[in-house]
Amino acid sequence: MPSRVVLENPERVDSLMEVWSYGAASIFRSVMTGYRLQRTPRQVKAGPAEMLAIAVQEINVGYSDQFDTRRVLPIGDLFVIDLNAPYDYLLPRYGSAQCLHVPIDAVGLPPEVVRAAAGRLAASPLHTMMTAHIGELTRQAERLSVDPSASVLGDTSVELVRALLASAYDIDYARGLMAEVLLPRIRAYVRRHLGDADLSPEHIADAHDISPRRLFRLCAEAGFSLEQWIIAERLTGARADLARPELADVPIAAVARRWGFVNNAHFSRRFRDMFGIAPRDWRRIAPREFGAESTQPCGRSRFDEPQAP
């Protein structure tokens, strides 16, 4: 897109620029000697970008000027630049930034919301999550950008940007959007950690930079109990494993531990309550083909040595 670059020292330029694609989104990282990047109203008109840049200042302090607001950008600061509006970005000496590009149309927020939110990103409860997300997409880019799920990560990035800006603009305005972004992430996180005996609301909330109270509210608004859902998912996984022929010699207690149950009596009682049959009886009568394709909890590739139940 048309823009103007003014170099701090044209006689001595050191620059490394990297771009990774995540479907409709992308990560751009530049590490270089001092420069100024400007985009004028005439350039915007001549070459519309229709993109938003959500960036994290990585090395040395930068400065941005857009929508009549000049900002100092310390290291680690999260900021937004609308590439389809005039702006001025200054990096006075050697430094870098990590930048997530997402299509404005995909974000789908009115221009006035984007402009108002750009000046108060720190007010969003998703501020820390967005900063960490950009950092992870950058640090793991060589692996993640070629993964089959890269486009999904891009879609997730767009949704996260939408919720970030909407919640920075007004928390009530963003309440539904935040749930749309957070709940799928929370469900995926829980499913990956079902085998962790210490999986708790506190751990789940901490992993998503929200409070346990906010976590419970999100689940309640979606119409389900977090605790009961986790138990049901664990029991479903254990039921499938108990029907697998190749696990027939593994003690029931070991299967229960694998799915996060530390108390055998509690596991048996909850299993009977949910399925109407004891675990031992289910293992005896279950069709052997049932559950042959069940998924193991994340981080568990095999059982520990069998122990007596």
Side-chain angles (χ1 to χ4, degrees), residues 54-298:
I54 318 297
V56 178
Q57 193 68 22
E58 184 181 18
I59 300 175
N60 278 328
V61 175
Y63 302 87
S64 71
D65 191 347
Q66 190 173 45
F67 306 133
D68 298 321
T69 301
R70 181 174 173 82
R71 292 187 57 205
V72 179
L73 307 172
I75 295 174
D77 196 34
L78 182 71
F79 60 100
V80 174
I81 293 180
D82 183 349
L83 301 182
N84 203 36
Y87 69 87
D88 190 342
Y89 173 79
L90 172 65
L91 187 66
R93 52 190 172 282
Y94 185 87
S96 69
Q98 303 168 348
C99 184
L100 170 67
H101 287 150
V102 295
I104 290 177
D105 288 346
V107 173
L109 293 176
E112 60 271 18
V113 171
V114 175
R115 294 181 182 186
R120 53 194 310 269
L121 293 184
S124 169
L126 300 177
H127 180 276
T128 302
M129 183 184 295
M130 186 80 252
T131 303
H133 181 72
I134 293 174
E136 194 68 14
L137 289 183
T138 305
R139 286 188 296 272
Q140 303 291 333
E142 296 295 338
R143 177 176 63 86
L144 295 178
S145 63
V146 298
D147 189 271
S149 64
S151 61
V152 177
L153 286 172
D155 293 340
T156 300
S157 299
V158 172
E159 297 296 329
L160 188 54
V161 168
R162 182 188 299 125
L164 169 80
L165 296 175
S167 58
Y169 174 73
D170 182 87
I171 193 65
D172 290 331
Y173 177 84
R175 196 173 303 279
L177 294 176
M178 289 178 63
E180 289 178 12
V181 171
L182 281 173
L183 277 177
R185 290 169 61 97
I186 289 169
R187 288 180 184 273
Y189 176 87
V190 168
R191 288 191 175 104
R192 291 196 305 270
H193 293 83
L194 285 172
D196 297 348
D198 60 351
L199 182 68
S200 67
E202 290 74 22
H203 287 163
I204 298 170
D206 185 63
H208 294 84
D209 297 308
I210 59 176
S211 68
R213 182 177 179 181
R214 176 61 178 154
L215 172 63
F216 285 122
R217 187 182 304 121
L218 280 171
C219 295
E221 290 171 354
F224 73 96
S225 163
L226 178 65
E227 179 185 8
Q228 296 306 314
W229 176 68
I230 291 175
I231 291 175
E233 289 289 302
R234 284 172 163 170
L235 288 170
T236 300
R239 180 175 184 259
D241 277 354
L242 289 173
R244 292 170 62 181
E246 66 270 28
L247 302 181
D249 294 331
V250 176
I252 291 176
V255 174
R257 285 194 301 272
R258 180 175 184 257
W259 289 96
F261 292 97
V262 296
N263 184 296
N264 295 340
H266 173 71
F267 168 69
S268 296
R269 183 173 65 255
R270 294 306 298 257
F271 192 98
R272 184 188 292 272
D273 289 344
M274 183 167 177
F275 301 116
I277 190 172
R280 192 177 304 275
D281 294 334
W282 165 252
R283 168 176 265 181
R284 178 172 52 82
I285 68 170
R288 289 315 186 190
E289 66 272 14
F290 181 89
E293 299 179 356
S294 68
T295 302
Q296 296 186 12
C298 181

